[in-house]
Amino acid sequence: MRIPFLNFEPMHTTIRNEIVNAFKKVYDNNCFVLGLSVKAFEVEFSKYCGTKHCISCGNGLDALSIILRGYDIGEDDEVIVPSNTYIATALAVSYVGAKVVFVESNIKTFNLDVNKIEAAITKKTKAIIAVHLYGRPAETDKIKVICEKYKLKLIEDAAQAHGAVYNGKKVGNLGDAAGFSFYPSKNLGALGDGGAIVTNDSALADKVRAIRNYGSTVKYYNEYKGVNSRLDEMQAEFLRVKLKYLDKWNADRQKSAKLYIERINNTKLILPCINSADESIWHVFTVRAEYRDDLKNYLKNNGIETLIHYPVPIHLQKAYEDLEYKIGDFPVAENISKTVLSLPIWYGMNNKEINYIIDILNKW
């Protein structure tokens, strides 16, 4: 049996007619940038997240960097980010000229270790970016207490967590502002790039709405040195179609994850830790193994495609060699990078496919 890491076909086959009609709608409207479809999606997505405002933009990286700019975070400032995350989280900080300050992640949750945050705070610290990695919410209640104590902004990197719930609230509504990505592989993915900012901060919303559009609220009148980062009408209309099915698709992933957790019984594998306080939407399902590369090759030989999220921690990437970190500076992140392996999980996986993966894993 051949099982790809990700398969869009079950999802896209179901909504094909709606997507085609969405294309025709935008095509016939002859308005392709910041029109009615974008406005409608922003209203619908803010309602879904439970926030007052949604400001769409070009991608998830832009969403984070625009939030930072909206809070006037820049040169000589510091922003705390997890040691274990995708590089976009750190790049957003670099883009505004601030300094990236890494804090170790929790080996069990892969998210920020809340017990290590305060030691990294200085007089220059302005914000903490809490990443909901792999679709699992970070411990934002505890992080929020720290932010209030030191008067810091709590920014959510929700790029992988559309629809995830923490203590009864959806991510995006847990901090001061959140950045989402609609990259095609996300649980809510466009048919191209896209992103959004959600917030309950009305002053921030007004500012970032201008920043994403050349710093302008009135055409040809520019209040800020903004950027061109706008979700186009076509992608907005596609996302409107998909948003209607997001909870259903997430529930399907959760069902698959439950089967993995209940039936994988190989003691050489460390399964994700489940916490009743969060409701992961399993953007990826990641296990850990001491001999990860052997496991990856074994699964490949049995027709199962996997990915590594992520093979090199940010502090050891060449792009950040200017920070002069070295091997051993963040041992948890380094351990995670050497042991994690993401298994196939996508809407429409059938029991035959899931059971095959479980059976192969249990025989390793």
Side-chain angles (χ1 to χ4, degrees), residues 14-32:
T14 304
I15 61 172
R16 178 182 175 82
N17 290 338
E18 290 181 80
I19 291 293
V20 171
N21 289 335
F23 170 81
K24 291 177 179 178
K25 176 181 177 180
V26 176
Y27 189 83
D28 291 341
N29 281 345
N30 287 301
C31 177
F32 304 107

Side-chain angles (χ1 to χ4, degrees), residues 3 25 29 33 101 110 170 176-177 191 200 232 290 303 314 323 325 334 337 354 359 363:
I3 303 178
K25 176 181 177 180
N29 281 345
V33 178
V101 176
F110 303 129
K170 282 197 172 76
D176 293 289
L191 303 186
N200 291 310
D232 68 67
E290 182 179 358
I314 304 174
L323 295 182
Y325 288 114
E334 292 166 29
S337 71
I354 295 170
D359 182 57
K363 290 177 179 177

